[in-house]
Amino acid sequence: MADRRTAIMEGAARVIARRGVRGLRVEELAAEAGVSTALIYYHFKDRAGILRATLEFINDRAGRYTTQRDPSDPTLDARGELEQTLLLEFQDDPGVRENSTAWGELRASAVFDPDLREDLAGATLVWVQEVAELLGRIHPVAGVAALTGAAERLTALVEGLSSRWLSGSLPLGHARELMVSSITAELDRLPRT
């Protein structure tokens, strides 16, 4: 049963990335996932349930590809971990592209959907807190407000650069360069004493 649920979530991410949230039709999702529409409604009750679950799935998947490390790789210091975590959002990999595109589509739809907006705000808050924690490991004396502000700017920049990269208006390498220079700028702004 878990495999079917995963297949549905993977299918939903693909359909949303391809057609947007407004283009998500349960019949197309069922065909994409290789399941019946009844099974989709069994797992998710309604369209809003599908969207909430897909947002969670996309967020979890991004968490995996931005934090998984090969055990044989050298240990990173806190700055290296911060850079790697944010830069792994910019990979010329179909799964990362799909995930980032679907996230952007869900974010855009949240403007008009208060329920989705609340779920997206919660997911974004967790992401900001994770980045703020990494920043705090680099500059432990910086206050919570300064760390949170820097994390909010960096995560917003990831989304903006990702949108430009995915739409073809910004080369991948340049997006990564801009991200690295922004990390440096944010770290330079944080209090050190």
Side-chain angles (χ1 to χ4, degrees):
M1 206 55 123
D3 290 340
R4 287 186 179 168
R5 184 178 170 87
T6 300
I8 294 167
M9 292 294 82
E10 289 171 346
R14 281 191 301 275
V15 171
I16 290 171
R18 204 170 45 237
R19 301 202 184 280
V21 172
R22 291 182 183 219
L24 177 66
R25 302 286 178 263
V26 175
E27 296 77 19
E28 183 180 0
L29 172 55
E32 184 77 30
V35 300
S36 69
T37 57
L39 186 63
I40 292 172
Y41 285 117
Y42 170 79
H43 280 292
F44 305 104
K45 307 295 183 235
D46 56 18
R47 192 169 189 278
I50 295 167
L51 293 177
R52 273 192 302 279
T54 304
L55 175 65
E56 184 178 326
F57 173 80
I58 288 168
N59 195 42
D60 289 347
R61 189 163 64 174
R64 284 191 302 277
Y65 68 69
T66 59
T67 58
Q68 287 182 341
R69 310 278 190 260
D70 186 328
S72 64
D73 287 346
T75 304
L76 296 173
D77 63 5
R79 183 186 175 124
E81 191 173 338
L82 173 67
E83 283 186 7
Q84 187 168 349
T85 297
L86 295 175
L87 290 175
L88 285 173
E89 292 285 355
F90 302 99
Q91 298 181 61
D92 195 12
D93 173 87
V96 173
R97 284 177 170 270
E98 176 185 280
N99 220 56
S100 294
T101 302
W103 175 267
E105 291 292 332
L106 287 161
R107 179 168 291 292
S109 292
V111 171
F112 306 103
D113 184 340
D115 293 333
L116 188 55
R117 187 178 315 144
E118 186 176 314
D119 293 332
L120 191 69
T124 301
L125 179 61
V126 169
W127 187 25
V128 167
Q129 289 171 337
E130 289 169 353
V131 172
E133 182 181 317
L134 288 170
L135 289 163
R137 288 178 40 211
I138 300 165
H139 290 301
V141 298
V144 172
L147 294 170
T148 301
E152 287 173 335
R153 287 186 293 275
L154 289 172
T155 56
L157 183 63
V158 167
E159 290 176 338
L161 291 174
S162 181
S163 176
R164 288 186 182 189
W165 160 57
L166 291 166
S167 68
S169 61
L170 186 67
L172 178 59
H174 190 54
R176 292 174 66 88
E177 289 168 9
L178 291 170
M179 195 72 239
V180 170
S181 65
S182 296
I183 291 168
T184 299
E186 288 297 338
L187 288 172
D188 288 347
R189 290 177 62 174
L190 289 173
R192 295 165 194 237
T193 57

